[in-house]
Amino acid sequence: MENNFDVIVIGSGPGGYTAAIRAAQLGSTCAIIEKYPVLGGTCTNVGCIPSKAMLDSSENYDIIRHKVAKQGIHVSGTEINFGEMVARNRGVVKQNNDGLVFLMKKNKIQAFYGLGTLGKGKKVTVKQADGKTVELTGKHIIIATGSKPSALPGITIDKQRIITSTEALYLKEMPKTMTIIGGGVIGVEMASIFHRIGVKVTIVEYAKSLIPTMDAELGKELQKILSKSGIEILTGCAVKGAVNNGKDVTTTYADPSGREVTVAAEYCLVAVGRRPYTEGLGLENTAVKTDERGRIQTDDHLQTADPGIYAIGDVVKGAMLAHKAEDEGVMVAETIHGKSHHINYNCIPSVVYTWPEVAGVGYTEEQLKEKNIPYNKGKFPFMASGRARASDDTEGFSKVLSDPKYGEILGVHIIGARAADLIAQAVTAMEFELTDMELGKISYAHPTFSETLKDAYLAASGRGAINF
């Protein structure tokens, strides 16, 4: 087995495997190091992929229970087999794992399984599960070790009753009750999964609304929809602690008035964000520096203070998103090979896979106001969409923020059916600097959810919505 490489990638998540594949395509010999016995990182194994599998299963169940009867379809005897749902989830993950193994072989990338530790002189030591070590040397090293769930002071995540999304996706039995600390992306997605299948869910969020990093109107609308569905949502509440009582967990929080309150549930899921994962990486053996939040510091080309060592994805600044890591992986691989590559970070979309879905790209209204940037606003409700009415998906809206003088798109924010797919058009529009008027003039198939965007563009341009 070869031990000297042009490029060594530490971490096999979306950023890592994409960087390795692109570098191999450009002619480099590559190695990829993965701490766990399977490739794919958090996204494939305990994040994006399994959560979407569970979201889809729970949504199908919810549709049968609450939606199809309105359409004259009456189903009896519907029940949840939680074990089969989780097994299907694992099957989806395995398909992705197998696909990555195939891609490594196809691109002649050598995979090493074990903890990769940086040494001096571009050396990496891989400590394998059997205790043996392998020494690798690389001309270039890409750190793509991702992130781990964050905790709160005073709360110990024991992975038994006080858990993270990792454990929640593979519970052996379906709980009856669950408290979720955090109303961000992970929190609301986990809440959706479990609430739909009959679990009593309570979300406790410190901010004044859900998904606080996104446009405020999206959070307000999502909170209204989820509350209406039966999820208890407590915003403006500061969690003080959580205690595992054996069969349940008592979570203590201060409500908006400062009054101390407790809530009990079988499980407490902590979803308060993620932190860069660099433990055991051996940064002390290099010139690589980190900031006050533990993120690896890089230049505009994602190169660290140690020449030839790069970092991408969740271990560097910016949104912790799989597609952001992928883009950075490609950029670093191409930079190493002397190719020019630029990422417009303002054009990286964010998506929440609840139902309806939530998606946004570019500036939020709050950011524009804070920066004193003038803007026009166009908004169109799904309620007024013929396609939305036909499928009984009338909740939400599409919102466009554009420059008053030139019509440049400054931001697009959607909550509604298929928002995760619709946002791609807005990303294209912003990346290639199309205007609200131009986007309102092009032809959209009728009837489609995309027409809500057309009318929002027209409204922002001053022409006004015309579709029905």
Side-chain angles (χ1 to χ4, degrees):
M1 185 176 286
E2 180 64 53
N3 285 57
N4 300 306
F5 299 90
D6 296 321
V7 177
I8 297 174
V9 181
I10 307 177
S12 72
Y17 69 70
T18 302
I21 291 170
R22 185 61 185 136
Q25 289 173 340
L26 292 170
S28 283
T29 57
C30 297
I32 193 163
I33 301 169
E34 174 52 55
K35 177 182 177 181
Y36 297 104
V38 290
L39 301 176
T42 294
C43 177
T44 299
N45 296 291
V46 294
C48 318
I49 302 304
S51 65
K52 302 312 163 283
M54 293 288 276
L55 279 160
D56 189 69
S57 296
S58 64
E59 175 64 14
N60 287 336
Y61 180 65
D62 193 63
I63 287 171
I64 292 170
R65 289 177 64 215
H66 298 119
K67 189 174 180 180
V68 298
K70 301 176 186 177
Q71 301 173 4
I73 304 168
H74 300 281
V75 181
S76 61
T78 305
E79 62 180 33
I80 282 283
N81 186 315
F82 189 70
E84 290 181 7
M85 181 183 290
V86 173
R88 183 244 174 192
N89 173 15
R90 290 181 182 274
V92 171
V93 170
K94 187 178 184 304
Q95 289 174 19
N96 283 269
N97 294 146
D98 293 344
L100 289 173
V101 170
F102 169 77
L103 286 172
M104 295 305 109
K105 291 179 179 177
K106 177 184 177 183
N107 290 281
K108 297 181 175 59
I109 299 165
Q110 288 194 36
F112 295 85
Y113 296 92
L115 179 64
T117 302
L118 293 162
K120 297 184 183 300
K122 301 294 187 299
K123 293 186 183 300
V124 181
T125 300
V126 183
K127 185 176 181 180
Q128 300 171 325
D130 60 5
K132 296 179 180 179
T133 60
V134 179
E135 287 246 334
L136 310 178
T137 303
K139 295 176 184 176
H140 305 277
I141 296 172
I142 303 174
I143 300 170
T145 47
S147 60
K148 290 287 183 181
S150 297
L152 287 174
I155 296 180
T156 300
I157 297 172
D158 57 27
K159 299 186 180 182
Q160 300 300 315
R161 292 285 171 183
I162 303 175
I163 61 177
T164 68
S165 58
T166 299
E167 294 77 43
L169 289 167
Y170 296 106
L171 288 174
K172 293 180 180 178
E173 295 182 354
M174 190 177 88
K176 293 183 176 63
T177 55
M178 180 179 287
T179 301
I180 297 178
I181 301 174
V185 176
I186 296 172
V188 295
E189 288 187 356
M190 291 295 107
S192 295
I193 289 170
F194 287 98
H195 168 70
R196 290 170 186 164
I197 60 176
V199 180
K200 184 181 183 301
V201 175
T202 300
I203 297 175
V204 185
E205 166 58 42
Y206 180 75
K208 293 181 180 179
S209 67
L210 298 180
I211 50 173
T213 60
M214 299 184 76
D215 189 273
E217 279 197 274
L218 298 178
K220 290 176 182 176
E221 184 72 6
L222 181 63
Q223 185 165 333
K224 182 177 71 175
I225 292 168
L226 294 184
S227 295
K228 183 180 176 182
S229 76
I231 296 174
E232 183 178 11
I233 300 172
L234 307 170
T235 55
C237 296
V239 173
K240 301 297 183 180
V243 178
N244 182 345
N245 304 312
K247 292 186 177 181
D248 64 7
V249 179
T250 300
T251 303
T252 304
Y253 64 91
D255 70 11
S257 69
R259 182 173 61 98
E260 198 164 277
V261 185
T262 61
V263 57
E266 287 183 40
Y267 290 91
C268 174
L269 194 165
V270 181
V272 292
R274 299 180 67 85
R275 58 181 176 81
Y277 182 64
T278 57
E279 284 87 341
L281 188 54
L283 296 182
E284 66 277 5
N285 300 322
T286 70
V288 175
K289 294 180 173 59
T290 58
D291 65 14
E292 71 285 351
R293 294 172 60 181
R295 300 174 300 189
I296 294 175
Q297 295 180 329
T298 64
D299 62 17
D300 291 342
H301 301 289
L302 297 175
Q303 185 169 220
T304 69
D306 199 324
I309 299 180
Y310 298 80
I312 62 174
D314 289 2
V315 292
V316 300
K317 67 180 181 179
M320 291 185 173
L321 298 169
H323 45 284
K324 178 248 194 188
E326 290 177 351
D327 290 349
E328 290 178 335
V330 171
M331 184 176 85
V332 167
E334 296 194 348
T335 297
I336 288 171
H337 289 83
K339 296 182 178 294
S340 177
H341 190 111
H342 171 71
I343 296 174
N344 183 347
Y345 284 93
N346 197 43
C347 288
I348 293 178
S350 295
V351 177
V352 187
Y353 294 89
T354 50
W355 194 264
E357 293 172 334
V358 186
V361 64
Y363 289 115
T364 66
E365 263 199 89
E366 293 69 40
Q367 290 170 332
L368 292 174
K369 289 175 182 176
E370 183 181 346
K371 294 175 180 291
N372 292 316
I373 298 174
Y375 64 93
N376 286 341
K377 174 179 173 179
K379 191 174 174 182
F380 191 82
F382 273 61
M383 179 68 75
S385 159
R387 177 68 178 86
R389 284 197 295 272
S391 63
D392 198 22
D393 285 310
T394 56
E395 293 173 313
F397 56 81
S398 287
K399 180 169 83 169
V400 170
L401 307 172
S402 63
D403 174 69
K405 186 175 182 180
Y406 299 108
E408 177 187 359
I409 306 302
L410 303 175
V412 175
H413 307 281
I414 310 167
I415 177 168
R418 305 301 170 200
D421 299 304
L422 294 178
I423 202 65
Q425 191 232 41
V427 174
T428 303
M430 290 182 62
E431 192 70 55
F432 293 96
E433 299 182 350
L434 299 175
T435 68
D436 49 17
M437 184 67 76
E438 289 169 333
L439 289 158
K441 283 182 176 179
I442 63 176
S443 181
Y444 293 65
H446 177 76
T448 58
F449 296 120
S450 65
E451 289 174 297
T452 64
L453 266 180
K454 176 172 185 172
D455 284 303
Y457 290 130
L458 288 170
S461 73
R463 283 187 55 180
I466 58 174
N467 283 294
F468 183 70

